[in-house]
Every structure is written in structure tokens, then in C-alpha cells.
Amino acid sequence: MGDARREFCSDLGDASGGVGGAGGPARNRRNAMRIALLGTGLMGAPMARNLAAAGHVLTLWNRSSAKAEALRDIGQVCATPSDAATEADVVLTMLLD
């Protein structure tokens, strides 16, 4: 697993800091995951931007929808946590309580 893990980690995005998604940086899409990010506040928003820059496909949800809407350029904003997680390979939560 060591070599596969190194290959995956070294393949995550580029140093340009660009935003992922359709117009994002070129990368090996073989390792891209569908990630649901629940909670797009102080910690979740930067996490979402980094994941998108690495080429992952994001679905986003936040209790106050305005915070998720601010990230519409990097992922699909969903109405409920369930909607965001339905087709995700990974679900990340950045929630206060």
C-alpha cells in the first residue's frame, strides 16, 4: 500500500492554488473522489477550496445556506445533508455542535 499511497498523495492538485471543478487545474482524474462537505463555515470553506483545487467533485451543505452558496463556484450546493451525501464516496463534517 505504501507506493499506492505515495502516488495518490503526490497526485493531489498543483501548486497554482487554482480552484478545481470544470475549469480547475489539470490533474489525474483517476484519483478524484466525490466528496460531500457538510459545514462550510470558518474551517469548512477553506477545506472545500483545497479539495476542489485538488480536483475532487464536491457537494456542499451548510445550515445557513448563504455560506454554502458562497462556494457555488467550486461545488454543487444541496438543500439537505442527505442530498449532499447521496452519491458521495466520502462525507466530511465540519460542524460546531
Side-chain angles (χ1 to χ4, degrees):
M1 177 168 149
D3 291 332
R5 178 71 182 148
R6 270 193 293 281
E7 178 184 336
F8 176 77
C9 291
S10 66
D11 215 12
L12 293 178
D14 62 8
S16 72
V19 175
R27 73 176 293 277
N28 185 345
R29 302 294 291 181
R30 170 177 58 118
N31 291 324
M33 292 185 285
R34 294 172 303 198
I35 299 175
L37 183 62
L38 311 179
T40 56
L42 292 175
M43 283 180 41
M47 176 90 58
R49 292 208 181 276
N50 287 334
L51 290 168
H56 299 291
V57 177
L58 301 179
T59 52
L60 308 164
W61 174 84
N62 196 73
R63 181 176 45 94
S64 55
S65 62
K67 288 185 179 182
E69 288 293 335
L71 298 170
R72 185 172 286 285
D73 61 322
I74 63 165
Q76 178 183 357
V77 176
C78 298
T80 68
S82 177
D83 290 345
T86 297
E87 305 231 353
D89 297 317
V90 175
V91 177
L92 298 176
T93 59
M94 295 287 165
L95 306 170
L96 181 61
D97 293 326

